[in-house]
Amino acid sequence: MKKTLIAIATAILVSAMPAAQAQWVVIDPTNLVQNIMTAARALEQINNQIRQLQNEAQMLTNQAKNLTSLDFSALNELRSALSATNQLLQQAQGLAFNLSQMETEFARLYPDAYTASTSGSQMATDARTRWRNSLEALRTATQVQSQAVQNFASDEQTLTDLVNRSQSAVGALQATQATNQLLALQARQAIQAQQLQITQDRAAALEQARQVAVQERAREVRRRFQGEGTPYTPYTVNYYSN
C-alpha cells in the first residue's frame, strides 16, 4: 500500500513539472496531500469492489454445490427387494388374498354348520382342502421370513452407502437426496414388516378356522351316525323267573 502511494505521488510530481526546464516548479503541499488521499481512497474502493466480487463468486460456487445432484440411487435395490416379497405373496397357494374370492372360498370351506345335503365325501374333501390351506399359509409365512433375512444383507450395504454419501455431500441437494433415500429404505423395511406380519397372522387365522371346522364336521358326523330316530336306551332283562 505504501509503495502504491509513493508511486502515485511521484506521478503527480512528474506531471506537475513544466515542459520548460529553465523555470522553477512551485508545489502546493496541501493540494499534493489531497491528491494523494484521493488516490488512496480510490484504490481502497477498488480493493473493496474486488473483495465483493470475490465473495459473490464464492457464493455462486456454493450455490452450484447446493445444486449438485447425488450420483447414487438405491431406488432400484429397494424396489427389487419389495418386488421379491410381493411376488411371494402373489404366488401363495391356498386361500386367495383377493378379498371377494377369499370370502367365497371361506364361506364354502369353513361353514358355520353343515347341511343334510352335504355328502360325507364332500366333507372329507373340504377337510383336506382346509389342511392344505393351513399348510400353504405356513409355507408362505416362512418364505417371506426367508426373503426378509436375505434383504437384511442388502439393506445393510445400502444403508452404509447412503450414510457415507450423506456425510460426504458437497451441497444441500445431495444431502437431501441421500436423506430421502434413507427414508425410502426405512419405508421399504416397514412395508416388509407388515407383509411378514400379514402372512403370519393369516397362517394363524387359517389354522384356528380349520380347527373350528374340524369340530363342526365331527359334530355332523356324530349326528348322522346317531340318526334322527329314538336313540337306544339300555335296560335290565330278567331271563329266569324267581
Side-chain angles (χ1 to χ4, degrees), residues 18 36 125 155 162 187 222 237:
I36 294 175
T125 300
D155 288 350
L162 289 174
R222 183 171 59 254
V237 178

Side-chain angles (χ1 to χ4, degrees), residues 27 33-34 51 76 90 134 137 142 145 184 212:
I27 300 177
V33 172
Q34 291 179 351
R51 284 192 293 268
N76 291 333
Q90 293 174 1
S134 296
T142 55
Q145 288 174 345
V212 172

Side-chain angles (χ1 to χ4, degrees), residues 9-143:
T10 303
I12 295 174
L13 291 175
V14 172
S15 62
M17 295 177 63
Q21 299 180 357
Q23 297 179 354
W24 290 95
V25 178
V26 179
I27 300 177
D28 185 358
T30 302
N31 189 27
L32 177 60
V33 172
Q34 291 179 351
N35 291 335
I36 294 175
M37 295 301 297
T38 301
R41 285 193 293 269
L43 181 61
E44 183 65 22
Q45 184 178 4
I46 293 174
N47 289 333
N48 291 335
Q49 292 176 351
I50 292 175
R51 284 192 293 268
Q52 183 179 359
L53 292 174
Q54 290 175 343
N55 293 333
E56 292 178 355
Q58 184 63 40
M59 182 178 62
L60 292 175
T61 301
N62 294 334
Q63 290 179 354
K65 290 181 179 180
N66 289 332
L67 296 176
T68 302
S69 178
L70 187 67
D71 60 346
F72 175 80
S73 176
L75 180 60
N76 291 333
E77 288 79 359
L78 299 179
R79 294 181 61 181
S80 177
L82 190 60
S83 176
T85 308
N86 287 333
Q87 188 174 3
L88 290 176
L89 297 179
Q90 293 174 1
Q91 294 176 351
Q93 301 297 320
L95 198 65
F97 277 99
N98 181 271
L99 179 59
S100 60
Q101 185 179 355
M102 183 277 299
E103 289 179 341
T104 302
E105 294 179 358
F106 192 90
R108 180 179 64 84
L109 294 174
Y110 306 87
D112 296 335
Y114 283 99
T115 62
S117 61
T118 305
S119 64
S121 61
Q122 182 62 49
M123 288 192 297
T125 300
D126 291 346
R128 182 165 184 82
T129 303
R130 289 191 294 268
W131 171 81
R132 173 63 63 179
N133 287 345
S134 296
L135 180 63
E136 292 298 335
L138 290 173
R139 178 180 288 113
T140 301
T142 55
Q143 288 176 341

